[in-house]
């Protein structure tokens, strides 16, 4: 119940999927949660669920690809909660499913603006407060696609690879400051993102889920809570000696 007692976390993309599940779990573990979400209704829903369960959360409407919005919201979190112990860089989009020679610059930028610049902005503006706090834990949600190739989603692979590399670099940059930075690499997790992606593919969601389930040795896709528990461990003091690590939560996909 108290694995994150007295801590304050910012969780981006907290209105759906893994971000929502992680926010609810963190609040149950005693953490105050700043819900950063572009979609107002979904962000407020997450806060309502947490408040109804007796937890503490507040919503900020933030587009992580907008530097000013990120900076202002982080300053407001400090005014509201007094410190920031944890940042979960979770917000992300998959973008178009094209091979490199078919891509436009706009399609490339669309994914990089959210998935890479979003992580850069949130980390950039949180770090000074973590330095002041003399500790911190940042968890970047990359993907199995950040370290492996596949049959789909070229710009997404490149973006998640950038998140993976940023994690290693930031882990080293701030190790002496007691700020830990780790990445999580989920396999296919059944969230609104995957449901939307699957529905765009030949044969629809059912065929996509079957295809992806077969690629995971465990034989099925994961659930948002599987990733939320990984975030909980890395964010908590239980992981005080863990930095620069990559945690695969993928039903064995990356072991193949
Ligand atoms: N679902 C998977 O199979 C899977 C696998 C590997 C990695 N991931 C990564 O995990 C993270 C969460 O994925 P999910 O499946 O829960 O996604 P989701 O689409 O179900 O939820 C993501 C949330 O982020 C929000 N969001 C999108 N763009 C935003 C922006 N610019 N600013 C703020 N909020 C924004 C969305 O509104 C949504 O509420 C993403 O980074 C995704 O790339 C997902």
């Amino acid at each position: 119940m108290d694995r994150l007692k007295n801590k304050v976390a910012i969780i981006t993309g907290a209105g759906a999927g893994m971000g929502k599940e992680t926010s609810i779990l963190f609040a149950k573990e005693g953490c105050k949660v700043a819900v950063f979400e572009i979609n107002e209704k979904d962000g407020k829903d997450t806060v309502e669920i947490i408040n109804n369960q007796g937890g503490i959360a507040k919503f900020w409407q933030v587009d992580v690809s907008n530097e000013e919005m990120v900076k202002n919201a982080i300053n407001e979190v400090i005014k509201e909660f007094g410190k920031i112990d944890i940042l979960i860089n979770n917000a992300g989009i998959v973008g178009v499913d094209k091979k490199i020679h078919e891509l436009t610059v706009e399609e490339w930028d669309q994914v990089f603006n959210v998935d890479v610049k979003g992580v850069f902005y949130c980390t950039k503006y949180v770090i000074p407060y973590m330095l002041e706090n003399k500790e911190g834990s940042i968890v970047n949600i990359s993907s199995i696609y950040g370290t492996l190739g596949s049959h789909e989603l070229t710009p997404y692979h490149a973006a998640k690879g950038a998140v993976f590399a940023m994690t290693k670099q930031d882990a080293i940059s701030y190790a002496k400051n007691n700020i830990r930075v780790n990445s999580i690499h989920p396999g296919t997790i059944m969230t609104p993102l995957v449901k939307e992606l699957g529905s765009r593919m030949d044969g629809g969601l059912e065929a996509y889920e079957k295809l992806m389930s077969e690629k995971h040795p465990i034989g099925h896709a994961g659930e948002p809570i599987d990733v939320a528990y990984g975030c909980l461990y890395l964010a908590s003091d239980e992981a005080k000696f863990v930095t620069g690590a990559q945690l695969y939560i993928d039903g064995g996909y990356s072991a193949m």
Side-chain angles (χ1 to χ4, degrees):
M1 281 293 283
D2 285 339
R3 289 171 72 184
L4 298 178
K5 199 173 175 200
N6 297 327
K7 294 200 186 279
V8 175
I10 292 175
I11 303 182
T12 69
M18 307 177 201
K20 180 177 185 174
E21 202 68 38
T22 303
S23 300
I24 294 168
L25 180 64
F26 276 28
K28 279 186 194 155
E29 293 292 341
C31 189
K32 293 177 187 153
V33 181
V35 167
F36 279 23
E37 169 60 52
I38 197 167
N39 181 311
E40 185 177 3
K41 184 185 172 304
D42 289 350
K44 286 185 171 167
D45 279 356
T46 300
V47 168
E48 199 181 324
I49 292 170
I50 291 173
N51 291 341
N52 286 342
Q53 291 176 347
I56 299 172
K58 191 168 172 181
F59 168 65
W60 278 269
Q61 188 166 25
V62 179
D63 174 353
V64 296
S65 68
N66 181 317
E67 185 175 5
E68 275 307 298
M69 264 185 151
V70 168
K71 183 176 158 188
N72 292 337
I74 288 171
N75 289 336
E76 284 177 27
V77 171
I78 289 293
K79 282 188 203 136
E80 181 72 25
F81 292 139
K83 62 172 183 166
I84 300 163
D85 301 291
I86 299 161
L87 168 64
I88 310 291
N89 276 315
N90 166 77
I93 57 171
V94 288
V96 297
D97 180 28
K98 290 184 179 176
K99 294 188 170 51
I100 201 98
H101 72 284
E102 301 164 335
L103 277 168
T104 66
V105 171
E106 290 73 26
E107 288 166 339
W108 177 272
D109 285 346
Q110 186 202 13
V111 179
F112 269 68
N113 284 343
V114 178
D115 293 8
V116 184
K117 275 194 182 165
V119 174
F120 164 47
Y121 294 149
C122 291
T123 305
K124 173 177 163 68
Y125 289 105
V126 154
I127 288 280
Y129 292 118
M130 288 186 169
L131 289 171
E132 219 175 278
N133 202 24
K134 298 194 170 17
E135 64 178 357
S137 173
I138 298 175
V139 180
N140 293 329
I141 307 297
S142 176
S143 168
I144 46 173
Y145 284 3
T147 60
L148 301 168
S150 82
H151 64 289
E152 60 178 356
L153 304 171
T154 296
Y156 182 71
H157 276 268
K160 291 299 184 180
V163 171
F164 165 64
M166 252 197 283
T167 303
K168 299 280 185 206
Q169 182 63 9
D170 292 347
I172 294 168
S173 297
Y174 302 110
K176 291 269 191 305
N177 303 106
N178 201 24
I179 298 170
R180 298 180 295 103
V181 189
N182 295 288
S183 58
I184 290 184
H185 302 257
T188 301
I189 308 291
M190 291 315 287
T191 64
L193 175 144
V194 163
K195 289 177 186 163
E196 189 276 325
L197 174 63
S199 67
R200 277 195 261 151
M201 299 295 176
D202 288 344
L205 177 59
E206 206 177 317
Y208 186 73
E209 192 176 350
K210 184 169 178 293
L211 171 75
M212 295 313 289
S213 295
E214 283 164 3
K215 286 179 185 285
H216 292 67
I218 223 163
H220 57 82
E223 298 171 355
I225 191 70
D226 297 325
V227 176
Y229 277 122
C231 290
L232 174 59
Y233 168 65
L234 290 173
S236 77
D237 295 339
E238 294 157 22
K240 65 185 169 49
F241 195 53
V242 182
T243 195
Q246 56 203 100
L247 174 60
Y248 286 97
I249 301 180
D250 67 354
Y253 188 112
S254 59
M256 291 276 277

